[in-house]
Amino acid sequence: MAMQLKKLSEQVIVITGASSGIGLATARKAARQRARLVLVARNENALKQISDDINMQGAEAIYVAADVANEADMQRVASMAIERFGGFDTWMNVAGVGIFGKNEEVSMGDMRRLFDINFWGVVNGSLVAVKHLKTRGGALINMGSETSDRAVPLQGIYSASKHAVKGFTDSLRVELEEEGAPVSVTLIKPASIDTMLVTHAKNYLEVEPKLPPPIYAPEIAADALLYAAEHSVRDMYVGSRARLMGAGAHYIPRLLDKGMQRFMYKLMKSDKQADHRDNNNLYTHKTDLLERGGVGGTARETSVYTSAATHPRTTGAVMLGSGLALMALWQMKKRRQHTSGTSGAFDASSYGKTRW
């Protein structure tokens, strides 16, 4: 079966982590394009409100309260999608949690719980999704991070989980391609995004954490996810810094080490006293229904790099137009020089002597 991804308006899309942040921004954008949605998160009350809002706007959404770390829950999500819509065309593994603190200070239990959500949640969702997608075609989209390519201090276990997501996603893609399965597999790698990640994270620092700038709006990440739902693409970076971090990790790893030692600690620490450590959503849901957390500075509403990736035809046309315009200016300049040179032999000769 040849791989063919549908237009968003013809798709049924499963989104985990849909109660806040990137997942919520993606759900709202997809609804505006009339995709039918299956929204997944732990917070049932938040999911109900989001689904009600989407349905009132003329789109169609159902919700399933589930924990991505539970394989049976993910199987139940797929069953609900099949029961209501006859199946699904795209599955997005967006759910994730964070921990801030030095590796030696974070408890082993918290590390394991983060991996249960960030890594095993992706594995559970992916394996359930591809079992269905192999029979009808579609897209699997996993949420990685710039830390999938380059780990950062004070987010060690988070970085490790995103490294693991990359390894699993890359290997799964090759296996599906080798057997000719009609499934597009994409890894999304955002830079710092203004979501609820910091607010929801478990914090071991003495102050409240923040994300290093530049920080991008969650809608930019949503654009990347929805582009991957319609176009078969291997990797997508959100924000130019994510791409630069990946390149730097490959070409100048030790220089990045030194830079992080000097700057990253300051960039990830605020001047606010740390809240109570138990105020997090590592084990249970907390505040939801918000796309942005407002932690770390004003978010950039656009990314030239990501816009170029999600609008390649427009970008190509602009680059071609710019190239033609520059060529026309260059030719005009040459013609003027030629005209100036032939209009008066004396002046041209004098100019030449003066120049050289």
Side-chain angles (χ1 to χ4, degrees):
M1 183 187 299
M3 182 177 3
Q4 185 174 0
L5 302 181
K6 301 176 182 177
K7 295 180 181 179
L8 290 176
S9 59
E10 301 172 355
Q11 287 202 32
V12 175
I13 302 177
V14 177
I15 305 175
T16 73
S19 60
S20 67
I22 294 173
L24 178 55
T26 304
R28 287 171 171 163
K29 274 183 169 282
R32 287 195 288 271
Q33 299 192 50
R34 290 300 183 262
R36 292 172 292 172
L37 303 174
V38 180
L39 307 180
V40 183
R42 290 174 291 176
N43 191 335
E44 185 170 8
N45 290 332
L47 287 176
K48 183 180 186 305
Q49 184 170 330
I50 296 164
S51 297
D52 288 345
D53 290 344
I54 288 174
N55 290 324
M56 287 179 62
Q57 294 170 14
E60 189 173 2
I62 64 170
Y63 65 89
V64 184
D67 187 342
V68 296
N70 187 316
E71 182 182 359
D73 277 8
M74 293 300 95
Q75 292 172 343
R76 181 164 52 88
V77 170
S79 297
M80 291 287 289
I82 294 170
E83 179 182 339
R84 175 63 178 270
F85 298 116
F88 51 88
D89 305 286
T90 295
W91 183 296
M92 299 179 177
N93 288 308
V94 183
V97 293
I99 294 177
F100 288 85
K102 291 185 176 181
N103 288 310
E104 293 177 280
E105 297 174 356
V106 178
S107 75
M108 191 63 67
D110 286 349
M111 288 186 175
R112 291 184 183 278
R113 175 57 181 167
L114 181 142
F115 248 79
D116 282 343
I117 297 171
N118 289 12
F119 175 67
W120 288 110
V122 169
V123 173
N124 292 335
S126 296
L127 296 182
V128 166
V130 298
K131 182 178 180 180
H132 177 74
L133 293 174
K134 285 167 69 172
T135 66
R136 59 184 280 164
L140 170 66
I141 307 172
N142 289 339
M143 183 59 68
S145 165
E146 64 181 349
T147 61
S148 295
D149 295 329
R150 169 66 214 202
V152 296
L154 304 182
Q155 289 192 79
I157 196 63
Y158 177 85
S159 299
S161 72
K162 294 302 183 178
H163 268 61
V165 167
K166 179 182 184 300
F168 171 77
T169 302
D170 287 349
S171 64
L172 179 62
R173 182 189 300 109
V174 172
E175 292 170 357
L176 292 171
E177 289 177 349
E178 190 277 333
E179 65 181 80
V183 183
S184 172
V185 180
T186 301
L187 182 65
I188 306 293
K189 301 178 185 179
S192 297
I193 306 294
D194 183 13
T195 67
M196 299 298 290
L197 175 69
V198 174
T199 303
H200 286 166
K202 186 160 187 178
N203 180 31
Y204 280 79
L205 303 177
E206 71 281 2
V207 295
E208 284 295 293
K210 62 179 183 178
L211 297 177
I215 299 172
Y216 298 90
E219 289 83 0
I220 301 174
D223 287 339
L225 283 157
L226 295 178
Y227 180 84
E230 291 186 306
H231 304 84
S232 181
V233 57
R234 188 181 192 277
D235 299 290
M236 290 203 71
Y237 293 89
V238 179
S240 58
R241 196 193 73 199
R243 185 68 185 92
L244 291 172
M245 283 279 282
H250 182 75
Y251 292 107
I252 51 170
R254 286 299 290 159
L255 184 59
L256 276 185
D257 288 348
K258 297 300 181 182
M260 287 188 180
Q261 291 172 29
R262 184 172 182 180
F263 300 110
M264 189 60 76
Y265 288 83
K266 294 179 181 179
L267 291 174
M268 293 177 61
K269 292 183 177 182
S270 73
D271 56 1
K272 298 178 181 179
Q273 185 176 354
D275 195 1
H276 195 282
R277 186 171 295 175
D278 291 336
N279 186 21
N280 62 78
N281 75 337
L282 191 59
Y283 296 93
T284 184
H285 60 79
K286 294 290 184 180
T287 305
D288 280 311
L289 298 172
L290 296 174
E291 294 180 9
R292 306 190 185 200
V295 178
T298 303
R300 295 185 179 184
E301 300 300 324
T302 60
S303 166
V304 174
Y305 178 87
T306 306
S307 294
T310 55
H311 300 86
R313 292 183 179 179
T314 302
T315 302
V318 171
M319 293 180 66
L320 177 60
S322 300
L324 292 174
L326 289 171
M327 183 178 294
L329 288 172
W330 179 78
Q331 290 177 339
M332 186 181 297
K333 180 179 179 181
K334 294 291 289 184
R335 284 197 297 270
R336 286 178 177 174
Q337 289 176 346
H338 178 72
T339 302
S340 174
T342 56
S343 62
F346 178 80
D347 291 341
S349 176
S350 298
Y351 175 76
K353 290 180 181 179
T354 302
R355 180 182 177 89
W356 296 104

